[in-house]
Amino acid sequence: MRLIVVFSIALFLAFNHLKADLPVLGTQSDISLEELENQLKGPGLQGWIHGAVNEYNQYVFTYRAPGNFFDHYEFPITSENPVVLNFLKSSVRHDEVKIKGSFLTNGAPIRHIDAEEITLVTKFEDEMPYPKYTHEAKLPEELLSQSELKGKVHAIADGGKVLVIEYKDAIVPVVVSRPELTQGLYRNDKITLKYRVRVHPKRPAHVSLDISKPNPIVVTDKLVEWHGKDGSITGTLVLFPKSPQVVFNVFALQVTDENGVKREITLVNFEDPKVFEAIRNKLQDLWDKKPQNIVNARNKYLNLNVKLKATGKFNVVDPGQANMQILLSSPESLEVVQ
């Protein structure tokens, strides 16, 4: 699955030190899959671990086109090699690695890498002093115990043929036999999904749309309908720490609905670098002043002691955008909620 990472063209023009925030699907790529497989079968393909979840046996590799940060592919990793599997179990998001193997021919719409060898290039050291995250969702047990769930879209590509959802804090691939049912989805759309658990593969757990039921996927909150609207949100302060992809801390608010579905809304200003820096400084100061109840929230951190109201304009520019943004005019657009 190809995810081309773009925060915002406007933001990159204004702040060339900011690397990335928002994955975008569907842009044409200059990357040759044939050349990537030649590298896999030869000297090895160098990139980064995008995700490593031992509980669900989920491992994903990211390759970026040299000289073009915006252009990259993501490939699920599978392997029968116990040495490779042990390596993956000790890997973390953002580890830089070199991988050898080949593309798996399994008919899936997403290319998988069958890894024969993986070596570490650079270990990513998270500077945040908090325990490793443990997932809440129990898979596949919870999926097997029901046939309908409420969640949100994690990724959508290839005209709806590629669909990945978030159920609680788990990422679940969805096999789509009728892509007309999933066309037009946006990442972070809230959905109700009727499904069947796939027999193969068992790990990681996959589901299929249950097309025997009416309306197997229903969007309950379309993200694109927020775009361009003025408004306010109230939520808990979130920090996405700097990484190989983001050169400074990025802040957001987490909002949880009545079904437990969580969204993060990124706090930004595109128009003035100094204003954006002042906003980040205010958020960092609020974060640092109340460190007593900060928790690891998978790929981010949550400060349970800081609740804010943010007022501005909502911004959703692409179906693959990682998080909706709220455009703030100044630090005064943020109000502490007691």
Side-chain angles (χ1 to χ4, degrees), residues 2-277:
R2 179 165 51 83
L3 299 176
I4 301 175
V5 178
V6 180
F7 190 168
S8 162
I9 297 301
L11 188 57
F12 270 93
L13 293 175
F15 313 112
N16 58 17
H17 60 292
L18 176 61
K19 288 184 179 177
D21 182 25
L22 303 179
V24 176
L25 300 173
T27 306
Q28 292 297 314
S29 172
D30 294 328
I31 298 174
S32 164
L33 290 173
E34 182 179 358
E35 174 56 28
L36 296 191
E37 185 155 38
N38 288 338
Q39 292 185 47
L40 283 169
K41 292 179 176 180
L45 188 62
Q46 193 160 317
W48 291 264
I49 297 294
H50 173 74
V53 185
N54 293 327
E55 296 98 315
Y56 308 145
N57 196 36
Q58 290 177 328
Y59 306 99
V60 180
F61 171 82
T62 294
Y63 171 80
R64 297 189 186 281
N68 186 353
F69 179 85
F70 303 135
D71 197 358
H72 77 92
Y73 276 93
E74 291 182 347
F75 303 104
I77 306 170
T78 185
S79 182
E80 299 294 331
N81 186 328
V83 176
V84 170
L85 294 176
N86 285 334
F87 178 93
L88 290 171
K89 288 178 181 178
S90 65
S91 64
V92 298
R93 182 176 171 89
H94 303 311
D95 279 354
E96 188 174 3
V97 299
K98 180 178 285 189
I99 185 168
K100 295 183 179 182
S102 60
F103 288 129
L104 190 65
T105 305
N106 62 353
I110 304 174
R111 294 283 183 120
H112 291 57
I113 292 177
D114 184 13
E116 298 174 2
E117 178 183 326
I118 302 183
T119 54
L120 181 68
V121 177
T122 305
K123 186 70 177 175
F124 175 66
E125 300 294 343
D126 190 339
E127 298 178 1
M128 304 294 284
Y130 303 105
K132 186 176 179 180
Y133 182 73
T134 300
H135 281 74
E136 170 194 359
K138 305 301 180 186
L139 301 186
E141 295 83 1
E142 290 186 39
L143 294 176
L144 290 167
S145 69
Q146 54 190 348
S147 60
E148 180 176 309
L149 62 79
K150 296 184 184 298
K152 64 181 181 181
V153 174
H154 178 76
I156 183 76
D158 197 13
K161 295 178 183 178
V162 175
L163 175 63
V164 183
I165 64 165
E166 293 185 39
Y167 165 69
K168 293 185 177 179
D169 58 351
I171 307 301
V172 182
V174 181
V175 176
V176 179
S177 59
R178 292 178 56 192
E180 69 272 15
L181 296 174
T182 55
Q183 286 179 354
L185 291 176
Y186 272 60
R187 183 168 180 174
N188 287 310
D189 278 351
K190 293 181 183 179
I191 58 169
T192 298
L193 186 76
K194 298 173 184 176
Y195 66 89
R196 292 178 176 175
V197 177
R198 302 278 293 186
V199 174
H200 179 78
K202 290 185 176 181
R203 289 179 60 84
H206 289 56
V207 301
S208 299
L209 288 181
D210 188 352
I211 59 174
S212 69
K213 302 287 181 61
N215 302 317
I217 183 167
V218 175
V219 181
T220 57
D221 186 3
K222 295 182 179 181
L223 201 70
V224 69
E225 292 181 353
W226 292 66
H227 179 67
K229 293 182 178 179
D230 294 317
S232 298
I233 54 164
T234 299
T236 305
L237 186 58
V238 174
L239 184 154
F240 292 92
K242 61 182 180 179
S243 69
Q245 282 69 51
V246 184
V247 296
F248 53 63
N249 291 340
V250 172
F251 291 93
L253 294 183
Q254 184 180 88
V255 181
T256 306
D257 70 12
E258 65 278 5
N259 296 308
V261 179
K262 298 178 175 65
R263 273 182 180 157
E264 284 74 47
I265 297 89
T266 309
L267 305 167
V268 296
N269 176 289
F270 289 163
E271 297 181 352
D272 189 325
K274 291 184 179 179
V275 170
F276 188 30
E277 183 178 11

